[in-house]
Amino acid sequence: MSERTGTGALTDGELHELAGKQAALGEVRGAPAADPVNVPMIRHWLTAMGDEHPRYLEQGLAPPAMAQVWTMPGLRHGPKDRSPVDDMMIALDGNGYTGVVATNCEQTYHRYVRVGERLTPATRFSGLAGPKRTALGVGFFATWNITWYSEDDEPVAEMMFRVLKFRPPAKVAERPPYPLQPAVNQDTEFFWDGVGRGELRIQSCADCGELRHPPGPLCPRCRSAERAYRLASGTGSLFSYVVHHHPPVPGRRTPFVVGVVELPEGVRMVGNVVDCPVEEVRIGMPLRVTYRRMDDRLVLPVWAPEQP
Ligand code: ZN
């Protein structure tokens, strides 16, 4: 028998064996959504996303990206809602792979879901890869798929989700890579390229000119996929904020302020408010963007009080 690292810990081989068992369970149905697809949730979502397209509320359709919203069990779900993924996650935690970061998410939409429909999720654990050495530490990549079914068993949406479960390094190097790297993809690359040059870029529609943030694949006004960007003036005012005290965040010292900044260009951005004592942060305060180097690769745009 190989050496075990602690109570309940499994060898790498045993983790893969468990992964094989979980995958062999196939698709496991979860509990049906607590509520049917409903207008209040759709309205909240549209407001939060800044999506003003009238179709959803006029026609009683849910934005497809809401798929997961309808069946999220919450953090404290009971054992009866356990999916094949949960047992795998618990085993990885027990082996010291307590860090988690999502690395891939792909959603496929088969059709619009209507108000009144009640969805049921089904989860299939599809793979475990590792242990692999990553910038965050040694870890395993776990992949699973969720399919949402209508009441007559028609799949309406699917999602492939992959996380890295990693063992946080016991001792940090002198200049560790900042652990919370932004997801840079074809929608967001222009933004991060700009930040690296000290430019704050706002995505715009190349057809109708509508500005949008966060960046996305489609124009919410005219549905065009043609994109461009504009440079922001770099000023803003604090629209809303929270002070983060707990839990600890890797690479950050608490407390810190996470703000939603209203830009004069008409979009809002999430960012840290810096160079200001936490107790002096106020809604409406004028801010100016500044750039903070987090590690050798990453620069983050943050917001400091605008000096009068
Ligand atoms: Zn447009």
Side-chain angles (χ1 to χ4, degrees), residues 180-185 187-199 201 213 215 270 297-301:
L180 303 171
Q181 296 287 329
V184 179
N185 56 35
D187 293 332
T188 61
E189 196 174 17
F190 80 96
F191 180 84
W192 295 107
D193 283 351
V195 167
R197 287 168 212 195
E199 290 177 2
R201 297 175 176 177
H213 188 88
V270 174
R297 287 184 308 160
L298 179 67
V299 174
L300 278 186

Side-chain angles (χ1 to χ4, degrees), residues 205-210 212 219-224 226:
C205 172
D207 282 319
C208 77
E210 174 92 349
R212 60 185 191 260
C219 172
R221 189 161 80 185
C222 75
R223 294 304 190 227
S224 166
E226 299 304 314

Side-chain angles (χ1 to χ4, degrees), residues 10 14-26 28 84 87-88 125:
L10 306 176
E14 285 167 333
L15 284 171
H16 280 286
E17 210 172 289
L18 175 62
K21 273 186 203 155
Q22 299 309 97
L25 293 173
V28 177
D87 291 327
M88 198 67 238
F125 185 77

Side-chain angles (χ1 to χ4, degrees), residues 37-222:
V37 171
N38 61 80
V39 169
M41 282 300 286
I42 295 174
R43 198 189 303 281
H44 275 304
W45 171 276
L46 294 173
T47 305
M49 294 296 157
D51 189 337
E52 290 170 6
H53 200 285
R55 162 194 285 180
Y56 300 115
L57 292 173
E58 280 174 13
Q59 299 181 22
L61 301 175
M66 286 185 76
Q68 215 180 354
V69 168
W70 307 113
T71 58
M72 270 212 176
L75 262 184
R76 288 177 189 81
H77 57 284
K80 79 175 170 56
D81 296 328
R82 249 200 211 181
S83 80
V85 176
D86 293 317
D87 291 327
M88 198 67 238
M89 294 296 119
I90 290 166
L92 287 165
D93 281 337
N95 261 44
Y97 299 103
T98 52
V100 63
V101 59
T103 61
N104 301 75
C105 177
E106 280 172 24
Q107 298 193 336
T108 307
Y109 310 126
H110 297 299
R111 69 157 168 88
Y112 284 103
V113 178
R114 300 190 162 279
V115 168
E117 287 194 84
R118 193 182 290 260
L119 302 184
T120 299
T123 305
R124 181 166 55 83
F125 185 77
S126 40
L128 184 73
K132 292 187 194 256
R133 196 165 292 280
T134 77
L136 293 169
V138 174
F140 284 82
F141 288 90
T143 308
W144 60 91
N145 297 70
I146 302 178
T147 304
W148 286 272
Y149 290 93
S150 68
E151 281 142 313
D152 45 12
D153 264 353
E154 179 192 3
V156 296
E158 292 174 44
M159 177 171 76
M160 183 280 285
F161 201 69
R162 183 173 297 134
V163 301
L164 168 65
K165 287 284 288 170
F166 62 96
R167 186 174 280 164
K171 191 165 162 263
V172 287
E174 248 177 279
R175 180 77 186 241
Y178 182 62
L180 303 171
Q181 296 287 329
V184 179
N185 56 35
Q186 55 180 347
D187 293 332
T188 61
E189 196 174 17
F190 80 96
F191 180 84
W192 295 107
D193 283 351
V195 167
R197 287 168 212 195
E199 290 177 2
L200 193 62
R201 297 175 176 177
I202 309 172
Q203 192 171 55
S204 63
C205 172
D207 282 319
C208 77
E210 174 92 349
L211 295 178
R212 60 185 191 260
H213 188 88
L218 285 185
C219 172
R221 189 161 80 185
C222 75

